[in-house]
Amino acid sequence: AELSGGRQRPLVAADGSVRIEDRGEGTNLEEQKAFQQGRKCIAVITEAASAGISLHADLGLPEAGQQPRYMIAIELPWEADKAIQQLGRVHRSNQRVPPKF
């Protein structure tokens, strides 16, 4: 799942060819939903799309969406409060299992 501020993204077809797809207004919400329901196993998130989202293994999700979360932070912000906010995307109350960082 890609949650970003990007307007386009590359898609690779089964034959290896690459095409560019425009990302519409609701793309980030669709990608988040696919990740939370277990239809996508990896979520790549930029700071531009990280405000106000929850990606933890909530007990209210379908069982496939309650899988453990593993967060790899490529570049944390300089401000400590923003860094804690990013880490909190996968670590909230009512979760099945805590994340690993």
Side-chain angles (χ1 to χ4, degrees):
E2 176 192 341
L3 291 94
S4 72
R7 294 183 181 164
Q8 296 179 321
R9 66 177 167 190
L11 292 178
V12 180
D15 65 0
S17 63
V18 179
R19 68 180 176 86
I20 302 297
E21 176 185 78
D22 288 330
R23 292 171 44 92
E25 293 263 334
T27 301
N28 282 343
L29 292 175
E30 292 170 16
E31 292 286 293
Q32 179 183 356
K33 187 175 181 179
F35 178 74
Q36 289 293 83
Q37 291 179 347
R39 292 184 281 124
K40 293 195 175 187
C41 300
I42 298 171
V44 177
I45 307 151
T46 65
E47 187 175 355
S50 68
I53 62 171
S54 297
L55 298 171
H56 65 292
D58 191 282
L59 291 170
L61 294 172
E63 190 171 332
Q66 295 182 25
Q67 300 302 313
R69 305 297 199 245
Y70 301 90
M71 182 174 183
I72 301 169
I74 304 298
E75 184 178 356
L76 286 172
W78 285 101
E79 298 89 358
D81 58 333
K82 287 185 179 181
I84 295 298
Q85 184 180 30
Q86 283 188 1
L87 297 173
R89 299 285 166 232
V90 294
H91 191 24
R92 306 231 171 149
S93 60
N94 199 44
Q95 61 189 7
R96 182 170 181 251
V97 291
K100 294 185 180 181
F101 298 97

